[in-house]
Amino acid sequence: MRRVIVDSAIYRDGRRTAGPADLSDALAEARATGDAFLWVGLYEPTEAEFDHVSDEFALHPLAVEDALKAHQRPKLEIYDDSLLVVLKPVVYEPKSDRVSTDELMLFVGDSFVVTVRHGEGAPLAAVRRRLEAEPEVLKHGPTAVLYAVSDAVVDHYIDVAGELQIDLEELEADVFAPVGRHGANTAARIYTAKRQVLEFRRASVPLSGPMTRLAAGEVPFVHEHARPFFRDVADHLIRANEQVEGLDRLLSDVLSAHLAQMGVRQNDDVRKISAWAAMAAVPTMVAGIYGMNFEHMPELSWTWAYPAVILLMAGIEVGLYRLFKRRGWM
């Protein structure tokens, strides 16, 4: 059977300690000391697997349902015995230039934190190690975990926005490249990039509300002295949202510029085709007239009639060519 509980530990005064293997005993011990809390990390639990954890921590059924479905918007829900924070980490795949999102739920209550992770894009081992190396931060309890996880997710938003900015610059260079140097399916690439930005926005923009509430210090189970830290996370989130909004607007402008260029090139092609068709029509018309085989026609009995007609057609062709060339049609 796969291991659902990735890691669990009791932290006392900011330091990891050996605690009871049973969750109820561990939680009771943490609450008894007053300066400790229990952090349990879960990875993609099923309903049956999560039942034991939810019963031990008295998690609200609606919050449990949200954690199991794993298709939630970023949000903050407050219940009687805990609060639920839903985050959507963003993952950028350099090989495919693709953005995907995972889900991360944090249940925060009296002396406990339960993290539920869906997807591979939000490993918390690095966050846990970083916190364990900073006992002065970790001693603030579940609030410190909530802050560190939120900060890691939002900071990664900025990194992904930077990668998308590089992709956008490459698209711009392709769109405004000289004729003949454009990459294949430029319009498709632009639409794909807009889709990636939309996926990013769905993860970052709705998180503004929960971060604002946490920064305001009006959320239970969150230490009031953590307000400046959550304000810092909120500021980083604003920066990430501004970047993604700017990317979306620039992509719209790039798409408009690409479509305008396509229209201009099509008009150029139509003018060139029309010019060549006009030049082809003149000798066709003259040849058609002389090909009707009427008995009484001008110049039929002239010795130099045939060369004269050829020179006339050539002169008209040269005149049309110079006219169209001067007007930029050819």
Side-chain angles (χ1 to χ4, degrees):
M1 182 177 177
R2 67 192 181 97
R3 181 175 174 82
V4 179
I5 299 180
V6 178
D7 196 358
S8 64
I10 295 178
Y11 295 90
R12 181 173 292 107
D13 197 27
R15 301 186 183 278
R16 182 169 184 147
T17 62
D22 184 79
L23 290 181
S24 59
D25 295 338
L27 182 59
E29 178 180 326
R31 286 174 173 171
T33 59
D35 61 348
F37 72 96
L38 175 63
W39 182 359
V40 178
L42 307 177
Y43 177 70
E44 295 185 351
T46 64
E47 183 175 357
E49 293 167 340
F50 197 45
D51 280 344
H52 175 64
V53 176
S54 61
D55 291 341
E56 294 294 343
F57 294 99
L59 303 180
H60 196 280
L62 294 177
V64 172
E65 181 181 357
D66 289 343
L68 292 173
K69 286 186 176 180
H71 291 289
Q72 308 296 320
R73 284 167 53 89
K75 63 180 180 178
L76 168 62
E77 297 286 350
I78 300 175
Y79 300 98
D80 293 336
D81 298 321
S82 63
L83 61 89
L84 169 65
V85 178
V86 179
L87 305 173
K88 293 185 75 68
V90 175
V91 181
Y92 177 81
E93 300 173 7
K95 293 184 179 179
S96 60
D97 295 336
R98 181 175 176 270
V99 171
S100 60
T101 56
D102 295 324
E103 291 198 23
L104 179 60
M105 289 83 168
L106 293 94
F107 295 88
V108 180
D110 180 18
S111 301
F112 73 85
V113 176
V114 177
T115 56
V116 182
R117 182 164 59 91
H118 293 268
E120 299 292 339
L124 296 179
V127 177
R128 190 186 286 260
R129 288 194 300 269
R130 182 167 61 107
L131 280 174
E132 291 176 353
E134 300 176 354
E136 290 299 320
V137 176
L138 195 55
K139 69 188 300 182
H140 291 89
T143 302
V145 177
L146 178 58
Y147 159 71
V149 173
S150 302
D151 185 58
V153 170
V154 172
D155 282 349
H156 193 59
Y157 285 169
I158 297 176
D159 295 337
V160 173
E163 296 290 344
L164 292 176
Q165 180 66 42
I166 295 174
D167 293 343
L168 176 57
E169 291 172 358
E170 293 176 355
L171 270 177
E172 284 182 315
D174 192 22
V175 168
F176 295 105
V179 177
R181 296 184 181 179
H182 297 272
N185 300 322
T186 301
R189 290 173 58 200
I190 296 173
Y191 276 112
T192 300
K194 284 186 69 68
R195 181 67 183 176
Q196 307 311 313
V197 171
L198 176 61
E199 188 75 13
F200 194 146
R201 292 183 62 185
R202 288 175 177 172
S204 65
V205 173
L207 188 58
S208 297
M211 286 299 109
T212 300
R213 294 174 64 186
L214 289 169
E218 300 174 355
V219 179
F221 308 109
V222 176
H223 201 285
E224 60 179 6
H225 295 305
R227 293 171 59 182
F229 296 95
F230 284 109
R231 280 200 300 267
D232 182 66
V233 176
D235 288 341
H236 290 181
L237 181 60
I238 291 173
R239 175 184 169 189
N241 286 335
E242 288 176 348
Q243 284 183 275
V244 74
E245 291 290 344
L247 289 171
D248 188 54
R249 289 193 298 270
L250 284 174
L251 278 170
S252 298
D253 293 341
V254 169
L255 179 60
S256 299
H258 175 67
L259 295 177
Q261 285 187 333
M262 292 293 294
V264 170
R265 291 176 191 139
Q266 287 176 351
N267 289 336
D268 289 341
D269 292 340
V270 170
R271 284 200 298 266
K272 291 178 181 178
I273 293 172
S274 300
W276 285 109
M279 292 176 62
V282 172
T284 301
M285 180 188 67
V286 175
I289 292 174
Y290 278 90
M292 289 187 291
N293 297 320
F294 290 133
E295 181 178 353
H296 301 288
M297 292 186 67
E299 300 99 14
L300 285 180
S301 59
W302 295 2
T303 303
W304 299 99
Y306 180 76
V309 171
I310 296 297
L311 289 174
L312 175 64
M313 289 190 294
I316 295 175
E317 291 293 293
V318 170
L320 287 175
Y321 179 81
R322 294 182 65 181
L323 175 64
F324 293 145
K325 190 72 173 178
R326 188 165 54 250
R327 293 188 176 183
W329 285 30
M330 301 189 69

